[in-house]
Amino acid sequence: MPNNSVSIKEVLDSGKFTLYQIWICTLCFLLAFFDGFDLSLVGVALPDISEYLNSTSAALGVAMSAGNVGALIGAFILGMMADRFGRKNMLLVSAFTFGIFTLAIAFIQSVEQLIFLRFIAGLGLGGAVPNALAFGSEYAPSKKRATLATTMYAGVAIGATFAGLFASYFLPRFGWQSLFLAGGTVACLIGIIALISLPESLEFLVKRNTNIDKSRIRKIVSRIAPLYGTDNNIDFVSSEKRLAGVPFKHLFKDGRTANTILLWMAFILSYYLLWLILSWTPTLLKKSGASSQEFSLAFACVNMGAVFATVLIGILMDKFNPLKILKIGFFLAFISVFIFGYFASSSFIIVAVFSAIMGFFVIGSNSGLMGLAAISYPADIRGTGLGWATGVGRAGSLLAPVAGGLMLTGNWSVNYICTTNAILALVVILIIFIMQKVNSK
C-alpha cells in the first residue's frame, strides 16, 4: 500500500521541463495554430468570397459573426465539459469539428451556407484554445505557467501569420477555395496525432482516481519524473483542493467575483478590437488601394508582429506584475491602431511595418489576458474559467465584424474607423487599473 503522498505540483516542479512535456505543449500549440489559421482564412479570403457570392460587406459581416456565435457557445460548453469529462476528449471534439466544417466552406454556393458552416466550425474553434491552454498549463512547472500559456497562445498568431503568407501565394493562383481545403485537412491530421499521442490531464486523472486512472497516472509521471513514477509507495494527489459542485459557481467564490467580472469586461473589449483587425484589415487595405497579394502579406505582418509579442508578454508577466505589463501593452495597442489608420493608404512597405506593429501590441495584449486568466483560477475550474472568459469575450468578436461591415457600408474612412475603435484599448486600461485596486485590498 502507498505510504507517501506527492502532489502533481511537486512532480511538475521537481526537475527539468522534459521532452515529454514539451511534446504535450507543442500539440496544444499546434491546435491553437490551426485555430488561428482557420480563423484568419475567412478574413483573408473575404474580398474574394464577396465577389464570388456577389454579396455586400454587411452580409459577410453577419457570416463572420455567425462563426463567433458558435465560438462563444463552444467556449462555454466545451470548457465546462472539459472540467467534467477530461481535457483531451474535448480538445479532440474541438479539433475535428473546426477542421471538418472549415473544409466544407470550400464548397459553399451562398452566404447562408457560409453562415451555417462558420457557426458549426465556430463551436470547435471556441473550445480549442481555452482547452488547449488549460491542458498545456497543467503540464507546466508553476513558475513557467504564464510564459507557456502565452507561448501556446502564440500558436493562434503564428497560424494567422501563416494563413496570410499561404494566401498570398495560393489565393491568386488557385482561388479562395484552396485555403479552406488545406486548412481543414491539416487541422484534422493534427487532431489524429493528438488522438494517438496526447495523454489526459494529470490533475483530472488524479481527481477522478479510478483503478485504471492510477495506472495511467504512474505511466505519465514516469515520463516526467522517473524517480516518482517508479516508486510504488507513492500515492499521487491533486495539487489543489477539490472544489465541490458546479465549476461555474466557483468563479464567483473565495474572493474571485470582482476579478472574474472585470476580466470578462476586459476580454469583451479586447476581443472586439482583435476581431475588428482580423475580420477587416484585408478589406480596409483593399479599400485603400492594395492588391490581393499586398493585403494578404500585410495581414501576415499583423500576425507576425503578434507572434513575438505573445511570447514576450508571457515572460514579462512571469517576471513582473502581470497587471502593470497589460496596462503598458494596451496603451501601446491604442497608439498602434491609431497610427495604422493614418498610414493605411501609404506605400506597401510602410503599411507592412505598421501592420506588424499593430499586431504586436493588439494581439500581444490580448494574449496577455489569456495568460492572466490561466493563472487566475485553480485547476478544478481552470477550463471553466478560461472557457467563460473567452466565451464572454466572444461577445466583442460578435459585434466587431458587424460593426466593421456597417462602418464600411456607411463609407467611413479607414483612418476614422481605426481612430474611433482604438479608444477601446484605453477603456481596457481603466478596467485593469480597477483590477489592480481590487487585488491590493
Side-chain angles (χ1 to χ4, degrees), residues 313-378:
I313 198 166
I315 295 171
L316 292 173
M317 287 172 67
D318 273 334
K319 289 184 176 293
F320 305 104
N321 185 307
L323 297 178
K324 288 183 179 179
I325 297 299
L326 285 173
K327 284 194 296 184
I328 295 170
F330 277 103
F331 177 73
L332 294 173
F334 161 73
I335 298 296
S336 65
V337 175
F338 177 84
I339 293 175
F340 173 82
Y342 186 80
F343 287 101
S345 57
S346 302
S347 68
F348 173 71
I349 295 298
I350 293 175
V351 170
V353 169
F354 285 112
S355 293
I357 293 171
M358 178 174 68
F360 186 95
F361 291 115
V362 173
I363 304 177
S365 298
N366 181 267
S367 304
L369 284 179
M370 282 286 190
L372 181 64
I375 61 177
S376 294
Y377 298 107

Side-chain angles (χ1 to χ4, degrees), residues 8 11-12 20 135 138-139 199-208 213 216-221 224 236-238:
I8 297 302
V11 171
L12 296 174
Y20 185 60
F135 188 98
E138 289 176 16
Y139 274 96
E200 184 51 90
S201 161
L202 273 174
E203 287 283 357
F204 177 79
L205 292 175
V206 165
K207 288 171 182 175
R208 192 168 63 177
D213 288 338
R216 293 171 67 186
I217 292 164
R218 196 165 296 279
K219 183 178 178 181
I220 295 168
V221 171
I224 297 172
F236 297 102
V237 297
S238 175

Side-chain angles (χ1 to χ4, degrees), residues 35 56 155-156 210 231 367 392:
D35 179 272
T56 65
V156 176
T210 66
D231 189 342
S367 304
V392 171

Side-chain angles (χ1 to χ4, degrees), residues 36 62 70 80 118-119 186 233 250 257 268 293 318 330 339 400 405 414 426:
V62 174
M80 289 189 292
R118 283 303 295 169
F119 173 77
V186 180
N233 292 318
H250 291 287
T257 299
I268 289 171
Q293 189 170 45
D318 273 334
F330 277 103
I339 293 175
V414 175
L426 298 180

Side-chain angles (χ1 to χ4, degrees), residues 258-270:
N259 266 340
T260 293
I261 293 173
L262 290 168
L263 193 63
W264 287 0
M265 292 170 64
F267 263 82
I268 289 171
L269 297 179
S270 180

Side-chain angles (χ1 to χ4, degrees), residues 30-157:
L30 288 173
L31 288 166
F33 174 93
F34 280 101
D35 179 272
F37 186 85
D38 285 354
L39 280 171
S40 299
L41 286 183
V42 175
V44 175
L46 206 59
D48 285 43
I49 292 176
S50 178
E51 292 179 8
Y52 178 79
L53 297 178
N54 193 27
S55 181
T56 65
S57 295
L60 290 175
V62 174
M64 294 289 286
S65 289
N68 291 326
V69 171
L72 185 152
I73 296 170
F76 288 151
I77 295 175
L78 295 176
M80 289 189 292
M81 288 179 70
D83 284 332
R84 285 188 171 272
F85 303 110
R87 307 238 186 273
K88 178 179 178 178
N89 291 332
M90 294 306 107
L91 271 176
L92 294 175
V93 168
S94 298
F96 286 118
T97 300
F98 75 68
I100 291 168
F101 286 93
T102 293
L103 184 68
I105 290 175
F107 304 99
I108 61 168
Q109 296 297 320
S110 68
V111 174
E112 291 76 17
Q113 291 175 358
L114 178 61
I115 290 171
F116 172 75
L117 291 174
R118 283 303 295 169
F119 173 77
I120 302 299
L123 292 172
L125 289 168
V129 169
N131 278 322
L133 294 186
F135 188 98
S137 295
E138 289 176 16
Y139 274 96
S142 55
K143 291 183 179 179
K144 295 182 179 179
R145 188 160 287 162
T147 299
L148 286 168
T150 55
T151 300
M152 288 183 287
Y153 189 61
V156 176

